[in-house]
Amino acid sequence: MSHQIKIDEKTGIAYITLVNGDLSATFLNFGARWHNFVTPDKDSNKENILLSLDTPESILADNAQFGALVGPVAGRIKNAEWNGITLEKNFHDEHHIHGGSQGWWCQFWDYEMISDTKVAFTLVDTASGFPGPITVVNTYELTTTAVVMTTKVTSESQTIVNPTNHVYFNLSGNAKRDITSHDLLVKSNGILETDSINLPTGKILTVDNTGYDFREPTSLADNLAKLTGGIDDAFILESSHPQICLTETKSGRKLNISSNREAAVIFSTTGFNDDFKVNGQSMHSEIGIAIETQELPDIVNHPKWGSIELNPGHTKVFKTVYEVE
């Protein structure tokens, strides 16, 4: 067990690397990001299984939240309004998304080493435009088999919180194969119906006989062939763990995800082509898959699904475990 901290002098980004057994993981103080996760394949070759931006400068310029802690509220809020408060309209000029342009994902956080295998990032958010101040402590712990992410949130004012980690996976190692080589299992019977700009309509759709049915391990290539726009949808999760399993036979890697969240937004990066570099190559369609545990998107406009309100003096604790085999 060990840790190492390297600081890029030009950008101020701190790279905090934890090592435990065969695993290592690097986290950043900018956006409390999970930057890489190095795990062995079936032949004991150690490779990164996340999509990682190549340079500190590209991380500062990133608007796709690679590995970032997104908040106070991940996803879209229709009409950018809650409880009479107008939030930043940064999505199609009238809606809100991902905590806005000053959200948690693009702020510098304080950090503290709890142990060689555990780091805590702390942010007091007064910049996002959400009522607060909101204090969030996001802890990453590296065990010999998993990264354990725990997010604790308090606020001085009544507010709303629904954070997620916007991490992108590719189990082939250093993204040398696309996610079409992967199989996916998601313990979910239903997804949210969305409109043309991906705002929830309020309806829940069954996954039966659709490309969204991953209740048994299913080839991503097969299901993506049925979905012309790929996957960018909220799956309602069952409570039995693990709720999500991603596997890649060629590498022999398997990722199990367990969480106390009610949903996961899964994004197949279909159509996501850009000229910035991840893992030494240009960002391109289906190079990775984002698996974002959270409460249901736009829940403030659909109270039948629950509540993400946080009252003063109360603490919300969110936990997701990413275990590799």
Side-chain angles (χ1 to χ4, degrees), residues 55-102:
T55 66
E57 291 77 14
S58 63
I59 292 167
L60 280 185
D62 171 38
N63 288 312
Q65 296 94 25
F66 279 84
L69 206 288
V70 174
V73 175
R76 296 153 181 82
I77 298 177
K78 188 175 183 179
N79 299 324
E81 186 175 340
W82 168 74
N83 201 27
I85 297 166
T86 299
L87 304 169
E88 182 182 357
K89 297 181 178 181
N90 63 323
F91 182 66
H92 287 261
D93 297 323
E94 57 180 312
H95 311 293
H96 180 84
I97 190 169
H98 289 336
S101 61
Q102 300 301 313

Side-chain angles (χ1 to χ4, degrees), residues 78 191-205 297-298 301-302 304-305:
K78 188 175 183 179
I191 62 169
L192 297 190
E193 181 185 68
T194 55
D195 64 13
S196 60
I197 57 171
N198 223 16
L199 287 166
T201 66
K203 295 181 179 179
I204 295 173
L205 304 176
D298 200 29
N301 289 307
H302 304 281
K304 61 186 177 183
W305 295 338

Side-chain angles (χ1 to χ4, degrees), residues 74-76 98 162 164 184 186-195 198-207 210 212-214 227 230-238 244 261-268 290-299 302 305:
R76 296 153 181 82
H98 289 336
N162 185 15
T164 192
L184 179 65
V186 184
K187 294 178 182 176
S188 173
N189 296 314
I191 62 169
L192 297 190
E193 181 185 68
T194 55
D195 64 13
N198 223 16
L199 287 166
T201 66
K203 295 181 179 179
I204 295 173
L205 304 176
T206 178
V207 299
T210 73
Y212 301 105
D213 189 351
F214 292 98
L227 303 167
I231 303 167
D232 189 5
D233 296 272
F235 291 73
I236 301 169
L237 298 177
E238 296 180 2
I244 301 170
R261 314 302 298 273
E262 69 173 336
V265 171
I266 298 177
F267 173 41
S268 62
I291 302 174
E292 309 156 35
T293 57
Q294 58 192 269
E295 312 315 301
L296 288 171
D298 200 29
I299 198 170
H302 304 281
W305 295 338

Side-chain angles (χ1 to χ4, degrees), residues 268-322:
S268 62
T269 64
T270 303
F272 189 177
N273 297 291
D274 214 314
D275 58 2
F276 62 80
K277 301 288 187 180
V278 289
N279 305 75
Q281 56 189 295
S282 294
M283 181 68 199
H284 62 263
S285 180
E286 296 172 2
I287 188 178
I289 184 167
I291 302 174
E292 309 156 35
T293 57
Q294 58 192 269
E295 312 315 301
L296 288 171
D298 200 29
I299 198 170
V300 296
N301 289 307
H302 304 281
K304 61 186 177 183
W305 295 338
S307 173
I308 58 170
E309 293 187 5
L310 175 61
N311 294 319
H314 291 251
T315 302
K316 288 201 171 187
V317 181
F318 308 106
K319 185 176 181 179
T320 300
V321 179
Y322 307 86

